[in-house]
Amino acid sequence: MSSENLPQSPEQQPRKPRVAVVFGGRSSEHGISVVTAGAVLRAIDRTKYDVLPVGITTDGRWALTADEPERMAITDRRTPSVEQLADSTEGGVVLSVDPANREVVYSEPGAVPKALGEVDVVFPMLHGPYGEDGTLQGLLELSGVPYVGSGVLASAVGQDKEYMKRVFISFGLPVGPYTVIRPREWELDPSAARKKIIDFAGEHGWPLFIKPARAGSSIGITKVDDISGLDEAITEAQRHDPKILVESLLRGREIECGVLEFEDGPRASVPAEIPPVTAHEFYDFEAKYIDSAAGLVPAPLTEEQTAEVRRLAVEAFDAASCEGLVRADFFLTEDGEFVINEINTMPGFTPISMYPRMWQESGVGYSELVDRLIQAALRRSTGLR
């Protein structure tokens, strides 16, 4: 009998790729990150991949957590935390920054560090600063570990709404009116900064949306109907980011479109529409995650409108040099024109999130979607590309 026909011993059998699902983090979107990671953990094919859940606490500690996605759900209108899931209040997970060594080590005070094995790919389910903004991506580049999603530049651009808009404008994509108040402007002359916003309202009209420039999940956003609510809105936005973005109201329909990287390049999903949310001023955090506002998938658009928004979504993906996935958010104005509001380089994967729902309607189920993202990451190298 030929040796090549003999059954392989366990030592000879190729091991499954190991996926570290990293979640939580230091941003105000910590809880939603945990919920998102729980959904992804449930969906990963365990016959195809080994999984290592790693949570980052709100103070930045990398903690080893149990693989228990059922504990990672919104309960009684409250989001979970890594602190609730961590195996230890002191132990920490360390990823080597040596590209030749992908081994993960776990250590606790007074104990011998324990090797947890090598990681082949990281699935970073982090939202907001210190995770989605290029910081974690930079660490993974230094470590030589492939990861799901966009690289350092695209992640940073996708997180900072000011520079995102600047990139879109430079590529000829339609963007609505906005202005920015930088931290130094506010520190040097708050009255002048406030007047800048009022002058913007004088040109474009009330209401305005006051936003943290580098946050997501609609956290910290206030719709301001007149000057009386301006100071409170500024304070709320600055609780999450010292740089604030001011946008005028665009009257029209809210349309979203998902982009996914396939072997032959990025493709757009069928679009979705976020209908008016009667119980909320706008599609805010409570509407998205607590009250589960329902989107229309697919969006009731004409064939021409569907083709146009899909084209614009892929253009936005390419303009920001994105990889893996993006959710692109648009307004379809009363004039019938699409205006891009923003992209999200790591959109939510909760059971009610629009990104997986759009791809489900496009023929890519949840588990296949997760698998495609992991496979796309495994195909890419780290470093310049």
Side-chain angles (χ1 to χ4, degrees):
M1 179 183 291
S2 170
S3 61
E4 66 184 29
N5 294 324
L6 292 172
Q8 291 181 313
S9 66
E11 291 76 20
Q12 294 174 307
Q13 292 177 359
R15 69 176 181 85
K16 293 181 287 187
R18 198 159 197 229
V19 182
V21 178
V22 180
F23 59 94
R26 294 164 57 188
S27 82
S28 53
E29 297 175 78
H30 177 100
I32 288 303
S33 172
V34 177
V35 175
T36 299
V40 170
L41 285 170
R42 280 190 291 271
I44 292 179
D45 184 353
R46 305 309 174 94
T47 67
K48 191 172 182 178
Y49 304 104
D50 285 329
V51 178
L52 176 67
V54 178
I56 301 178
T57 64
T58 53
D59 61 2
R61 179 173 62 91
W62 289 46
L64 192 63
T65 71
D67 188 2
E68 299 176 355
E70 65 276 3
R71 296 173 57 197
M72 302 164 71
I74 295 174
T75 306
D76 296 329
R77 302 177 71 87
R78 294 182 179 181
T79 56
S81 70
V82 170
E83 283 80 357
Q84 297 167 345
L85 301 165
D87 288 349
S88 165
T89 59
E90 295 183 305
V93 173
V94 178
L95 178 66
S96 172
V97 293
D98 178 1
N101 177 17
R102 295 180 177 177
E103 190 162 74
V104 174
V105 174
Y106 177 75
S107 63
E108 291 192 64
V112 177
K114 177 183 178 182
L116 300 179
E118 290 190 348
V119 166
D120 296 290
V121 63
V122 170
F123 205 134
M125 301 311 308
L126 294 153
H127 302 306
Y130 311 110
E132 190 183 352
D133 59 350
T135 51
L136 177 63
Q137 289 74 15
L139 172 63
L140 296 173
E141 292 286 350
L142 289 173
S143 301
V145 179
Y147 52 93
V148 170
S150 290
V152 175
L153 173 65
S155 297
V157 168
Q159 187 64 45
D160 191 313
K161 294 179 177 63
E162 176 194 359
Y163 286 96
M164 181 197 307
K165 292 177 186 292
R166 290 180 180 271
V167 168
F168 290 158
I169 290 169
S170 72
F171 277 82
L173 291 164
V175 172
Y178 75 96
T179 191
V180 175
I181 304 297
R182 298 173 180 274
R184 185 178 299 175
E185 290 180 82
W186 190 260
E187 292 165 4
L188 292 178
D189 193 340
S191 297
R194 191 171 183 273
K195 183 178 183 300
K196 181 178 177 180
I197 300 175
I198 295 171
D199 290 344
F200 178 82
E203 181 179 358
H204 298 286
W206 301 90
L208 302 177
F209 287 93
I210 310 296
K211 303 180 175 183
R214 295 163 292 193
S217 297
S218 298
I219 291 174
I221 299 178
T222 305
K223 180 183 177 185
V224 181
D225 293 315
D226 54 50
I227 196 172
S228 65
L230 185 58
D231 290 342
E232 185 177 350
I234 292 171
T235 299
E236 172 60 18
Q238 289 177 332
R239 285 202 312 116
H240 304 278
D241 189 344
K243 181 165 81 167
I244 64 174
L245 185 78
V246 182
E247 294 176 336
S248 63
L249 173 68
L250 290 176
R251 300 187 185 280
R253 298 160 63 186
E254 292 190 48
I255 306 295
E256 298 184 347
C257 191
V259 180
L260 178 64
E261 182 181 347
F262 285 75
E263 290 82 356
D264 59 351
R267 302 181 198 172
S269 70
V270 300
E273 179 171 4
I274 307 301
V277 186
T278 56
H280 300 265
E281 280 285 316
F282 59 96
Y283 194 46
D284 60 7
F285 178 86
E286 292 276 323
K288 283 182 179 179
Y289 298 110
I290 304 300
D291 293 336
S292 305
L296 304 176
V297 187
L301 300 171
T302 66
E303 288 185 14
E304 292 78 11
Q305 289 172 330
T306 297
E308 176 67 1
V309 75
R310 294 177 75 177
R311 180 186 70 81
L312 290 170
V314 172
E315 283 196 14
F317 183 95
D318 286 337
S321 297
C322 295
E323 295 170 289
L325 72 164
V326 149
R327 193 194 70 232
D329 300 345
F330 297 86
F331 291 104
L332 177 56
T333 67
E334 295 173 340
D335 296 331
E337 300 295 326
F338 283 103
V339 174
I340 187 164
N341 183 40
E342 64 182 61
I343 57 171
N344 192 316
T345 57
M346 187 52 70
F349 271 77
T350 66
I352 61 170
S353 294
M354 297 307 299
Y355 184 84
R357 287 183 59 195
M358 288 187 286
W359 278 109
Q360 177 76 44
E361 188 68 24
S362 304
V364 180
Y366 195 101
S367 295
E368 181 186 351
L369 179 61
V370 170
D371 184 67
R372 282 191 172 276
L373 289 170
I374 294 172
Q375 288 298 317
L378 287 169
R379 286 194 302 270
R380 289 195 303 267
S381 63
T382 53
L384 299 177
R385 54 189 184 274

